[in-house]
Amino acid sequence: GHDGGAVNWFDRYDPVSKDWDTLPDAPHARDHFMAVVVDGKLVAAAGRESDQPDPFDGAVRQTDIYDFSTDSWSTGANIPTARAGVFAASAGNEVLVAGGEIDTSGVALTANEAYNVRNNSWRTLSSLLQGRHSGGSAVIGSKWHVVSGSVRRGGGNSNETSAHEALDLNT
């Protein structure tokens, strides 16, 4: 939350048995991030360690990867654009990360990048047409759809957008 206390806890819930398991802690504490599973690995990228008086600083650049087959964490290449409140989805062997917010900009970011789980590298994708953070996204077919969000850091009803963008992943 905005008052601090980001943690690196990692737990698993079984909806059938309704049991929780405590798994190994992630290498880095963070909040306001997205995690995506690709190739049997959970990838946690972006986010921040929120605290007061500036809850928007403390961006986490490290990319943490949990391998379900070995029950262990590793740290991959740093995300090129430090930010929190991102959109994320998986496509093939990549984690797609778009938008976000950062303490050095009052407007939401247009940055759009992809992390390749197999070769531990980031690449830059076409930027969003409209900067935004904290909305939703999904890959459908060969297109990555990014919808809604807030166009200014921190949000608020007057800063919300209903814009829908789609990036063709084949180009």
Side-chain angles (χ1 to χ4, degrees):
H2 292 136
D3 291 332
V7 297
N8 60 345
W9 302 340
F10 186 49
D11 303 312
R12 174 176 48 213
Y13 179 71
D14 183 333
V16 175
S17 69
K18 298 184 175 34
D19 291 328
W20 283 94
D21 293 321
T22 301
L23 299 175
D25 289 343
H28 301 93
R30 65 183 83 213
D31 59 58
H32 289 78
F33 74 101
M34 293 284 204
V36 176
V37 175
V38 175
D39 284 347
K41 296 174 176 70
L42 180 135
V43 178
R48 62 180 177 244
E49 290 188 63
S50 297
D51 60 7
Q52 294 297 332
D54 183 359
F56 301 103
D57 68 353
V60 178
R61 295 193 66 122
Q62 295 88 350
T63 302
D64 292 335
I65 302 123
Y66 180 79
D67 188 328
F68 288 96
S69 68
T70 63
D71 193 32
S72 64
W73 286 95
S74 62
T75 300
N78 286 353
I79 190 168
T81 306
R83 55 211 157 126
V86 298
F87 299 78
S90 65
N93 61 348
E94 291 186 313
V95 175
L96 311 175
V97 179
E101 61 182 353
I102 191 77
D103 65 329
T104 57
S105 176
V107 296
L109 305 177
T110 60
N112 199 2
E113 296 155 343
Y115 176 73
N116 187 304
V117 175
R118 293 183 186 157
N119 66 20
N120 184 33
S121 65
W122 285 91
R123 67 184 177 104
T124 301
L125 303 172
S126 298
S127 296
L128 292 170
L129 299 175
Q130 180 179 41
R132 61 183 80 196
H133 68 87
S134 304
S137 75
V139 173
I140 302 170
S142 65
K143 292 191 178 182
W144 183 22
H145 298 264
V146 176
V147 296
S148 70
S150 182
V151 297
R152 298 205 48 83
R153 182 181 66 214
N157 288 341
S158 64
N159 295 315
E160 299 298 312
T161 180
S162 60
H164 175 167
E165 295 183 44
L167 175 66
D168 187 343
L169 299 172
N170 289 328
T171 57

